[in-house]
């Protein structure tokens, strides 16, 4: 005989809501909680939600790890990694364990229990700073990219890598939603490589050469490109949840690159709101690969752009010292320039340096010198870009 059906309790009043369609609320997202960091010079350098969407993890430039309850809108605890530093902190599939990259002493990746602040394992092998860290959606494995020109595949159960790829500047790496493909971005060669995860020791089954974008009218005609061609100061590589699109976040004034995940064809160049252009280099986050922008960046980051959970929207920083921007990837793209203007702006008094969409709820977290929770707010209307 079947047991009784257990219905989970609803989120608390004012908490994140999972039942509304993203398209109904995307323009109504507003800051609802703001958490100050330890001092005015501290930056959050990465954000990560756990699988349940209940907890948020922020790595900060003061060598701390900040843990928040996203459903209740409160700070939980602060963990310090003063000896090793901390960046690219990610939840594993267990909400009380995380992995993160070291920023000093060595280039080891550390596996930590947030319950008792004890290290569970060390992943040693990289000989230069780790610039990418991504958890497999389907298993307790992860990949890391580094300035030592390697990508390594790891299992949480073993301190030794399961595999290694030797590549030129593989500074960004990610899994597709099906956990069968890994994408690796190489800014120095302006290419993105796709590997079959089951045969990662074989050559990539697809290579997207983005040097072809240099001939785009929007890039050729822009004085902001200064003869450098398409943006190469890349900060983010992410698949949409339907696996059809791939975004390459950049620090470039020209904008972010939205690609077809199967062909590598440029779907759109996501341009920032014009009032914030050209970008102020001193306000940008350091890119994983050295560039003209990263030379004057203020802090590390993980990209100021991400997909919504349904894959239809991209949310990112405006490029200025306030507000976020939203792009509808199904919106009208200029046929000649391949540019896509923002659908709307999301008002906020602080800069958006890093951004992460909650995997379970219509909720966004952004951060710079504070961590901000965003929720839909009724009756506020949509702010033009």
């Amino acid at each position: 005989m079947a047991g009784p059906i257990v219905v989970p309790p609803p989120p608390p009043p004012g908490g994140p809501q999972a039942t509304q369609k993203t398209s109904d609320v995307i323009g109504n997202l507003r800051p609802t909680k703001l958490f100050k960091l330890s001092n005015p010079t501290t930056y959050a350098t990465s954000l990560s939600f756990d699988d349940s969407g209940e907890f948020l993890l922020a790595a900060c430039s003061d060598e701390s790890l900040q843990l928040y309850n996203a459903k209740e809108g409160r700070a939980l605890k602060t963990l310090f990694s003063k000896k090793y530093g901390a960046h690219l902190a990610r939840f594993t599939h267990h909400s009380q364990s995380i992995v993160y990259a070291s920023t000093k002493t060595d280039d080891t990746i550390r596996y930590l229990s947030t319950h008792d602040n004890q290290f569970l394992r060390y992943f040693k092998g990289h000989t230069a700073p780790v610039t990418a860290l991504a958890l497999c959606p389907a298993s307790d494995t992860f990949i890391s990219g580094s300035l030592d020109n390697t990508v390594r595949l790891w299992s949480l159960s073993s301190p030794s890598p399961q595999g290694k790829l030797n590549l030129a500047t593989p500074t960004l790496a990610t899994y597709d939603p099906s956990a069968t493909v890994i994408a690796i971005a190489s800014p120095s060669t302006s290419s993105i490589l796709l590997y079959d995860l089951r045969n990662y020791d074989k050559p990539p089954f697809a290579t997207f050469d983005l040097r072809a974008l240099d001939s785009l009218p929007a890039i050729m005609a822009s004085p902001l490109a200064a003869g450098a061609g398409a943006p190469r100061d890349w900060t983010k590589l992410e698949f949409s949840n339907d696996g059809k699109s791939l975004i390459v976040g950049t620090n470039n004034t020209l904008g972010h690159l939205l690609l077809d995940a199967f062909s590598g064809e440029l779907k759109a160049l996501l341009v920032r709101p014009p009032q914030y252009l050209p970008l102020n280099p001193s306000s940008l986050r350091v890119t994983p690969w050295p560039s003209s922008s990263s030379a004057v960046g203020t802090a590390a980051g993980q990209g100021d752009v991400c997909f919504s959970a349904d894959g239809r929207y991209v949310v990112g920083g405006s490029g200025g010292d306030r507000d976020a921007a939203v792009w509808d990837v199904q919106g009208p793209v200029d046929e000649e320039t391949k540019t896509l203007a923002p659908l709307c702006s999301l008002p906020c008094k602080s800069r958006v340096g890093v951004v992460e969409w909650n995997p379970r709820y219509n909720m966004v977290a952004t951060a710079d010198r504070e961590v901000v929770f965003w929720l839909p707010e009724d009756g506020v209307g949509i702010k033009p870009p």
Side-chain angles (χ1 to χ4, degrees):
M1 179 177 177
I5 297 175
V6 178
V7 179
Q17 302 295 316
T19 55
Q20 295 172 290
K21 292 175 61 177
T22 304
S23 57
D24 293 337
V25 301
I26 187 68
N28 299 332
L29 289 169
R30 294 295 185 270
T32 57
K33 282 281 187 178
L34 185 149
F35 303 92
K36 294 286 186 180
L37 299 178
S38 61
N39 63 68
T41 62
T42 298
Y43 291 88
T45 63
S46 68
L47 295 173
S48 172
F49 281 104
D50 76 324
D51 288 350
S52 72
E54 184 173 355
F55 300 105
L56 177 76
L57 174 68
C60 299
S61 60
D62 64 352
E63 298 157 351
S64 70
L65 296 159
Q66 305 290 335
L67 191 62
Y68 303 92
N69 187 311
K71 286 182 70 174
E72 298 177 5
R74 62 187 179 92
L76 292 179
K77 64 170 67 174
T78 300
L79 306 174
F80 287 100
S81 184
K82 292 292 186 180
K83 184 176 180 180
Y84 307 109
H87 183 39
L88 300 174
R90 307 285 187 246
F91 276 108
T92 67
H93 295 301
H94 190 290
S95 61
Q96 291 188 328
S97 62
I98 65 173
V99 292
Y100 67 91
S102 307
T103 59
K104 61 182 186 179
T105 304
D106 58 24
D107 304 297
T108 298
I109 298 168
R110 291 179 154 77
Y111 182 20
L112 178 73
S113 167
T114 60
H115 171 68
D116 54 10
N117 199 24
Q118 297 294 312
F119 288 114
L120 304 175
R121 189 161 286 115
Y122 304 98
F123 303 100
K124 298 181 179 181
H126 284 301
T127 57
V130 172
T131 58
L133 199 57
L135 269 292
C136 179
S139 67
D140 287 329
T141 58
F142 66 96
I143 53 176
S144 58
S146 167
L147 292 179
D148 65 7
N149 292 322
T150 68
V151 170
R152 297 173 190 251
L153 291 80
W154 310 84
S155 169
L156 290 175
S157 61
S158 171
S160 302
Q162 294 182 319
K164 182 175 77 169
L165 298 171
N166 295 296
L167 301 167
T169 65
T171 56
L172 299 171
T174 191
Y175 290 89
D176 84 321
S178 69
T180 59
V181 173
I182 54 175
I184 301 169
S186 169
S188 69
T189 62
S190 200
S191 61
I192 296 175
L193 312 174
L194 300 187
Y195 287 84
D196 183 337
L197 190 57
R198 296 161 296 187
N199 300 291
Y200 61 82
D201 55 336
K202 303 292 193 299
F205 67 84
T207 300
F208 303 153
D209 186 353
L210 301 193
R211 288 175 296 182
L213 302 184
D214 292 353
S215 60
L216 277 177
I219 292 173
M220 293 183 67
S222 173
L224 302 171
R232 288 183 176 83
D233 43 358
W234 300 344
T235 60
K236 182 74 174 278
L237 185 66
E238 182 183 30
F239 281 96
S240 60
N241 267 351
D242 58 10
K244 296 180 180 179
S245 300
L246 188 64
I247 193 164
V248 181
T250 84
N251 266 352
N252 197 285
T253 293
L254 290 170
H256 308 295
L257 306 174
L258 181 68
L259 308 178
D260 184 294
F262 299 101
S263 67
E265 179 183 355
L266 181 74
K267 288 185 172 183
L269 185 64
L270 308 186
V271 294
R272 294 180 175 87
Q275 64 268 32
Y276 297 112
L277 302 180
L279 300 180
N280 179 4
S282 65
S283 67
L284 299 175
R285 295 303 184 93
V286 176
T287 56
W289 175 247
S291 71
S292 58
S293 297
S294 64
V296 290
T298 54
Q302 64 174 27
D304 67 341
V305 65
C306 73
F307 279 108
S308 61
D310 63 359
R312 175 172 175 177
Y313 301 97
V314 172
V315 178
S318 66
D321 59 1
R322 59 187 299 119
D323 294 356
V326 175
W327 295 267
D328 182 355
V329 301
Q330 297 178 12
V333 177
D334 187 289
E335 293 185 4
E336 181 180 359
T337 64
K338 299 291 284 186
T339 54
L340 177 63
L343 170 70
C344 63
S345 287
L346 302 177
C348 181
K349 294 181 180 180
S350 58
R351 188 190 311 277
V352 174
V354 290
V355 58
E356 192 80 357
W357 191 283
N358 191 304
R360 298 292 181 185
Y361 302 101
N362 282 321
M363 175 188 183
V364 176
T366 63
D368 191 58
R369 295 186 181 183
E370 55 274 314
V371 174
V372 181
F373 290 172
W374 301 65
L375 292 172
E377 187 173 317
D378 294 335
V380 294
I382 296 178
K383 180 181 179 181

